[in-house]
Amino acid sequence: MKKKHLAGLVFGLLLSPLALAQQVEIQVNLPEIGGSMYYRPYVAVWIEDASENTVKTISVWRKEADWLKDMRRWWRKAGRYDQGELDSVTGATRRPGTHSVIWDGTNQQGEKVPAGRYTINIEAAREHGSRSLVRQPIELGKNQTLTTEAAEELGSMTIKVTR
């Protein structure tokens, strides 16, 4: 009898939204911008929950740490607080083109988050350029493909949510 209960519990957990392998692929598009004063943008990609609380910083592309504050929303919401975690998601600035960023459905502590509504945030700031922020709501736990509008420092992006 105990084996049946254990099998039922295991089967139930496998079907629960928390146990599903959730993944979000974000295609970050940096447009080609001409001019002699072109510098690669600093970019931050992070996740917020339905209450606009930061869940996780996924990626930060930078050259010097001094300019991270120019990504104003990210800095206020997560950057100044997550300094211990920042090194693990930081990389060099990127050339124009499309770059893939993956969110594995976990929070900053590495725990799986429940299915539900989240917002993908992509912010870019460029020296001698401007700032752009793109926010795209998603429903974690549902398969979806979404396309964002282009912004000055960010081209249109594709976001794929799979489970």
Side-chain angles (χ1 to χ4, degrees), residues 22-27 45-51 55-56 58 101-106 113-122 134-148 157-163:
Q22 301 171 350
Q23 178 174 295
V24 179
E25 180 182 5
I26 306 151
Q27 295 293 323
V45 181
W46 76 98
I47 310 299
E48 293 177 0
D49 64 17
S51 299
V55 173
K56 186 174 190 175
I58 305 301
V101 177
I102 304 291
W103 177 40
D104 61 1
T106 62
V113 300
R117 185 183 167 102
Y118 294 87
T119 301
I120 307 291
N121 297 275
I122 303 125
V134 173
R135 295 172 47 82
Q136 178 62 55
I138 63 165
E139 191 72 31
L140 195 61
K142 288 184 182 177
N143 289 335
Q144 11 177 342
T145 300
L146 307 159
T147 303
T148 69
M157 291 170 268
T158 302
I159 298 169
K160 294 180 184 177
V161 182
T162 58
R163 48 180 218 151

Side-chain angles (χ1 to χ4, degrees), residues 68 74-75 78-87:
L68 289 174
W74 170 77
W75 183 255
R80 63 180 162 188
Y81 303 113
D82 294 337
Q83 291 300 306
E85 302 292 326
L86 192 56
D87 286 342

Side-chain angles (χ1 to χ4, degrees), residues 16-114:
S16 76
L18 288 174
L20 294 174
Q22 301 171 350
Q23 178 174 295
V24 179
E25 180 182 5
I26 306 151
Q27 295 293 323
V28 178
N29 184 4
L30 301 178
E32 182 88 35
I33 298 174
S36 61
M37 296 297 286
Y38 176 79
Y39 293 93
R40 296 179 188 176
Y42 283 35
V43 176
V45 181
W46 76 98
I47 310 299
E48 293 177 0
D49 64 17
S51 299
E52 295 191 2
N53 296 313
T54 301
V55 173
K56 186 174 190 175
T57 298
I58 305 301
S59 190
V60 176
W61 304 338
R62 67 171 178 95
K63 184 176 180 184
E64 298 173 23
D66 297 348
W67 302 103
L68 289 174
K69 295 174 189 159
D70 282 355
M71 294 182 291
R72 292 178 182 156
R73 182 171 174 104
W74 170 77
W75 183 255
R76 283 192 305 266
K77 300 284 281 186
R80 63 180 162 188
Y81 303 113
D82 294 337
Q83 291 300 306
E85 302 292 326
L86 192 56
D87 286 342
S88 65
V89 297
T90 299
T93 57
R94 310 280 171 94
R95 294 179 184 266
T98 302
H99 308 276
S100 183
V101 177
I102 304 291
W103 177 40
D104 61 1
T106 62
N107 62 19
Q108 204 71 29
Q109 292 75 38
E111 303 159 337
K112 289 282 185 191
V113 300

